[in-house]
Amino acid sequence: MKKVGVVLSGGGIRGVAHIGFLKLLEEEGIQPTFFAGASAGSIVGALAAAGYSPSEILDIAKKHQLFSMIKPRWPSLGLTALDKLPELLKEYIKVERFEGLKYPLAISASCITSGQSKIFTSGDLFPAIQASCSIPVIFRPVEIDGELYVDGGLLNNIPSQGIRDSVDVLLGFNLVPGEPVPKEKISSIFKLAIRTFELAISSSAQQGADLCDLLITADTKEEQPVFFSNNVQELFESGYHSAKNRKEEILKLVSETKISSQA
């Protein structure tokens, strides 16, 4: 049977749309057995790799306002830590290391000391997720093995490299297409900083995008930057419908087997 992997981009609170994408796959009988993600995608990827269904992940997101934790805001006393995120995830993911997950997982983070992207596939799980979600300047970098890491999307927003060689079919879901925005939407230094970060994210994605057999870009229909919507159900549905619009292409890629089993 074909082994199916999914790679989930960063994109702030729009990460909820990833859950809709996974829900469509579930409805079509497609069970990915390899996951990769950056930033918000690392959160959904970790929960899916731990064995949670899309409906269960959506319930977690709604109950805890999960993706609001990585919404950027100017800290009152300098940089803040993203400590609440791993503590919450530990309530649901009962293993501490990548190796304990049900399915293989790859997470990108950006090393600001070396200037290189790193993809974590083993070792301590929660520091890697925290690092992958730590938006530069807003959140403190996370130290791992003596190096400092920030948001994975900065240097590799579609980290396909972490699982490409392990799967037969790789499906990507992208949240940050880098589309133009009206200048009126860039109305403060804060929104300028976020827009600059979004552009950096979108420009970092091409190499990973090229490794996907199919890359779907979410149509979230949001006028604001990617970090500011709070409508969880609407974002979930946008991801679902974006995937549904490409359903025939997905099914063609995974034809002859709708359910993939891990080797």
Side-chain angles (χ1 to χ4, degrees), residues 8 19 22 35 40-54 56-58 60-61 66-67 85 88-93 101-103 105 125-126 129:
L8 310 173
I19 310 171
L22 296 180
F35 295 88
S42 75
I43 299 174
V44 177
L47 289 166
Y52 285 95
S53 70
E56 290 170 332
I57 298 172
L58 181 62
I60 294 169
L66 183 58
F67 294 95
L85 177 61
L88 171 59
L89 291 176
K90 286 177 183 179
E91 294 182 24
Y92 296 93
I93 301 175
L101 293 168
K102 182 176 182 179
Y103 301 114
L105 172 67
L125 175 64
F126 298 107
I129 298 174

Side-chain angles (χ1 to χ4, degrees), residues 7 158 160 164 170-173 207-215:
V7 56
I158 302 180
S160 304
R164 173 68 271 187
L170 182 58
L171 305 174
F173 202 74
Q207 183 178 5
D210 290 342
L211 293 174
C212 294
D213 295 298
L214 177 65
L215 180 67

